[in-house]
Amino acid sequence: MNATRAISLSASKPTNTQGVSADHMFDRFQEDILGTCVQFYLRRADSGTRFSGTISKRKSGGFGFAQIGHNSFGVQRRPKDIRRDSLDQFVLIEQKSGISCVVHNGTETNLVTGDLYLLDAARPCDIQNGGKSAQHSVLHLPRESMPQRFGPMLAGGLKVAATDSTGLAMRSILRKIEKADDPDYSPFGDAFYSLFGAHLAERRTQAPTGLNLDQALVSQAMGIIRQHYRDRKLA
């Protein structure tokens, strides 16, 4: 039977797994991610796979980022995990490497490098790596600020493909926010929300990807980028 551990999704420091046993690495990975905001259930791969994992956490530009990599079978957020932490937020996952399959909100979605996926932490989900190495960048988005921006358009299970023009712009802006010196503010925060809202509006109208975006939102995002593009600290 595969061993399992209850874990959370981010941590305050990288996990160093050199020079320790596979079981110790698995346990340490669990310990290093305790006390964080979204709780998951870690599922070990089969006995022939030596576990490895890294995790780190950073606040930058007013956003909380977590970088997570591991080769477990996957992680689940079950109803009892939701009841245990009682946290009501959205989680934006960027697939940094590897391939994952997300089962969430009644849909099954494959993720490849560069894909973005919006997860509703108030609903169960299953993120499967199949025992293969995969890395994710995780952005926590408190729910209370989201309906004011996006209204009823917002729901978990949204994928933004790596090849989507809006997704390319969103990932570029996220990189700029991650590099911000100020942990509490980045001028690119509004640009990110504007592009995200444009993608939601596009999906609502079922327009072809990259066309007929909400022009007011896109113009706002591009205005912010033009205003700050010469600032080397934000480049």
Side-chain angles (χ1 to χ4, degrees), residues 12-48:
S12 59
K13 61 181 181 179
T15 299
N16 182 359
T17 58
Q18 295 183 351
V20 295
S21 68
D23 287 340
H24 191 190
M25 284 193 290
F26 192 79
D27 293 340
R28 183 182 296 181
F29 191 76
Q30 174 196 353
E31 293 171 1
D32 282 350
I33 52 184
L34 290 175
T36 55
C37 52
V38 180
Q39 184 163 332
F40 276 78
Y41 193 67
L42 181 65
R43 302 165 64 193
R44 194 200 293 268
D46 61 53
S47 57

Side-chain angles (χ1 to χ4, degrees), residues 181-208:
D181 293 330
D182 189 337
D184 298 316
Y185 172 74
S186 168
F188 292 107
D190 287 338
F192 167 76
Y193 281 122
S194 295
L195 286 170
F196 191 68
H199 186 78
L200 290 172
E202 178 185 6
R203 288 176 59 90
R204 180 181 58 184
T205 58
Q206 297 184 342

Side-chain angles (χ1 to χ4, degrees), residues 40-182:
F40 276 78
Y41 193 67
L42 181 65
R43 302 165 64 193
R44 194 200 293 268
D46 61 53
S47 57
T49 301
R50 178 179 172 85
F51 176 79
S52 64
T54 60
I55 185 163
S56 63
K57 178 182 177 182
R58 182 187 180 194
K59 185 178 181 183
S60 179
F63 292 82
F65 292 90
Q67 307 298 327
I68 301 166
H70 60 88
N71 66 344
S72 73
F73 182 83
V75 294
Q76 289 180 318
R77 183 159 170 82
R78 306 160 302 174
K80 63 180 176 181
D81 299 316
I82 296 170
R83 292 193 299 270
R84 185 174 295 134
D85 62 23
S86 301
L87 292 170
D88 195 13
Q89 60 181 246
F90 290 95
V91 176
L92 184 67
I93 300 172
E94 178 184 350
Q95 188 85 17
K96 301 289 284 187
S97 68
I99 299 173
S100 299
C101 177
V102 183
V103 181
H104 180 54
N105 242 6
T107 62
E108 183 174 308
T109 306
N110 292 321
L111 302 181
V112 299
T113 301
D115 286 347
L116 299 170
Y117 186 88
L118 185 70
L119 185 151
D120 185 346
R123 294 178 176 271
C125 74
D126 189 358
I127 305 174
Q128 302 171 5
N129 301 339
K132 305 295 184 181
S133 293
Q135 293 188 348
H136 302 96
S137 178
V138 179
L139 175 65
H140 298 286
L141 301 169
R143 186 184 298 272
E144 61 266 19
S145 66
M146 303 296 277
Q148 300 173 7
R149 296 178 181 272
F150 307 119
M153 294 185 293
L154 192 64
L158 170 67
K159 173 183 174 179
V160 185
T163 55
D164 186 283
S165 58
T166 312
L168 290 169
M170 288 171 62
R171 292 199 309 276
S172 177
I173 288 177
L174 286 173
R175 299 293 84 77
K176 295 178 185 297
I177 295 173
E178 285 182 298
K179 295 178 182 178
D181 293 330
D182 189 337

